Amino acid sequence: MRVLITGGSGLIGGGLVRSLLESGGRPVVVSRRADVLRRDPATREYEVIQGDPTRPGRWQHVVDGCDAVVNLVGQNVFSGRWNAALKRSIRDSRVYGTEHVVEAIRQATPRPAVLVQGSAVGYYGPRDDEELDESAPPGSDFLAVVCREWEDASAPVEGLGVRRAILRTGIVLAKGEGALKVMTPLFKIGPGVPVGGGLVGRGRQWMSWIHLDDAVGLCRLAMEHPEATGPINVVAPGAVRNADFARALSHALWKPYAPWRVFLPVGPPDALLRLVLGELAEVVTTGQRIAPRRALELGYQFRHPDLDEALRDALAG
């Protein structure tokens, strides 16, 4: 299987590349930093194409003959304090990038069988304690609107006879990357001082998480299962509140070294977070309680359905 991947150097994209190589697949990664990536010996095993998906270019011709396209490109939501320019980049990188991927598929001969389209659980917006599956309507905050436009930009491929699956991804657990890269230092206040903290605000918001192995597994399911169409929530069964996640992470970090660790259930107040982060504070102090209904209907077997085990495995690398 030859698979074109935008966002292939990111967390899920990189995991997908490794998974495809292990199974004899042929990943093709489109990157604005192709020269940098090619210096990494690991990239010698697959094809790296110079190109910016937010702009049309020669990279679009590489879709010809690909069996699948996985579109994960987009400006990092947490790359800085939000202002008008950064919010525009967050939105435009996703929407324009997807429009150019769709145009590449339109021009391809032959066309790929499937487009796996990136999205996020931010699609649903803040919803308090309501449990949400793929049938829930979108929210109305900034990220929800971005996710809806991002998904909508990929819709024309269905008129081209291309199957479309949408990955609404939650918090991905992987050692030294993503959420754990940010959260882990909050639990280590000094050498030999095993104190867990890491609450965000009051710690009542829901966190819908998934181990990287399962995020990649669901991406593979979306590519390879002929009935995988429409939105798929890329989360593990059993969302948890931030306070419970923080306690589990503290336990996973310190149990091997200090069974007598102390967990301090404290975090910066919401008002302080809003002062420091501005509008971005709403993202980290609110959440969604997401259920992976579609993944279970398609028969996916989660490798890491338990948070404690998933954290231990992710931290072990």
Side-chain angles (χ1 to χ4, degrees):
M1 176 177 276
R2 188 167 188 256
V3 183
L4 182 82
I5 306 170
T6 67
S9 59
L11 178 54
I12 297 177
L16 177 60
V17 167
R18 293 189 293 272
S19 175
L20 287 168
L21 289 172
E22 288 170 1
S23 62
R26 293 182 295 153
V28 181
V29 173
V30 177
S31 174
R32 292 175 297 177
R33 303 180 299 112
D35 290 342
V36 175
L37 287 180
R38 288 174 185 141
R39 296 187 196 123
D40 183 347
T43 64
R44 295 172 187 167
E45 299 182 57
Y46 59 91
E47 192 175 356
V48 180
I49 302 297
Q50 177 68 40
D52 180 356
T54 66
R55 300 175 182 274
R58 287 183 294 177
W59 65 268
Q60 291 173 294
H61 300 297
V62 182
V63 176
D64 285 18
C66 285
D67 301 290
V69 174
V70 180
N71 179 36
L72 304 173
V73 72
Q75 168 77 36
N76 185 352
V77 171
F78 296 99
S79 58
R81 185 185 174 99
W82 285 359
N83 54 32
L86 181 55
K87 289 172 70 174
R88 185 166 54 252
S89 178
I90 289 170
R91 185 265 182 195
D92 290 354
S93 62
R94 287 163 171 77
V95 175
Y96 293 157
T98 299
E99 289 176 349
H100 295 141
V101 166
V102 169
E103 183 57 31
I105 292 172
R106 188 190 311 277
Q107 298 173 7
T109 306
R111 291 172 180 152
V114 59
L115 168 65
V116 178
Q117 170 63 34
S119 187
V121 296
Y123 172 93
Y124 302 105
R127 303 289 277 270
D128 297 323
D129 293 342
E130 181 183 1
E131 187 172 60
L132 308 167
D133 63 22
E134 290 86 353
S135 66
S140 58
D141 64 318
F142 169 69
L143 284 184
V145 171
V146 168
C147 287
R148 188 182 72 242
E149 292 182 346
W150 193 13
E151 294 182 13
D152 288 348
S154 66
V157 299
E158 295 180 359
L160 302 173
V162 175
R163 179 170 61 85
R164 179 178 64 132
I166 302 166
L167 305 180
R168 293 177 181 163
T169 305
I171 297 167
V172 181
L173 306 182
K175 184 177 183 179
E177 299 186 76
L180 290 186
K181 180 179 180 179
V182 175
M183 294 186 72
T184 299
L186 301 177
F187 292 78
K188 298 181 177 180
I189 65 174
V193 185
V195 177
L199 295 195
V200 177
R202 292 171 294 174
R204 295 287 297 167
Q205 68 273 32
W206 288 97
M207 298 180 67
S208 296
W209 58 273
I210 188 166
H211 191 289
L212 177 59
D213 290 347
D214 284 318
V216 172
L218 284 172
C219 190
R220 295 287 304 258
L221 177 83
M223 277 197 303
E224 298 162 9
H225 198 305
E227 295 181 11
T229 59
I232 300 170
N233 289 335
V234 182
V235 297
V240 298
R241 295 191 187 274
N242 174 253
D244 297 322
F245 185 96
R247 187 175 290 105
L249 180 53
S250 174
H251 186 76
L253 283 168
W254 290 110
K255 185 177 180 181
Y257 312 107
W260 45 271
R261 78 203 181 287
V262 178
F263 176 75
L264 300 179
V266 295
D270 291 358
L272 178 59
L273 287 169
R274 283 193 292 270
L275 178 65
V276 174
L277 300 177
E279 188 179 354
L280 184 57
E282 295 302 314
V283 177
V284 299
T285 60
T286 60
Q288 302 86 15
R289 186 182 184 186
I290 308 296
R293 177 182 61 83
R294 190 72 182 113
L296 296 173
E297 287 177 350
L298 291 168
Y300 184 75
Q301 299 290 320
F302 284 87
R303 293 178 59 184
H304 306 281
D306 177 75
L307 177 60
D308 291 325
E309 185 279 329
L311 284 169
R312 288 195 301 270
D313 186 87
L315 290 168

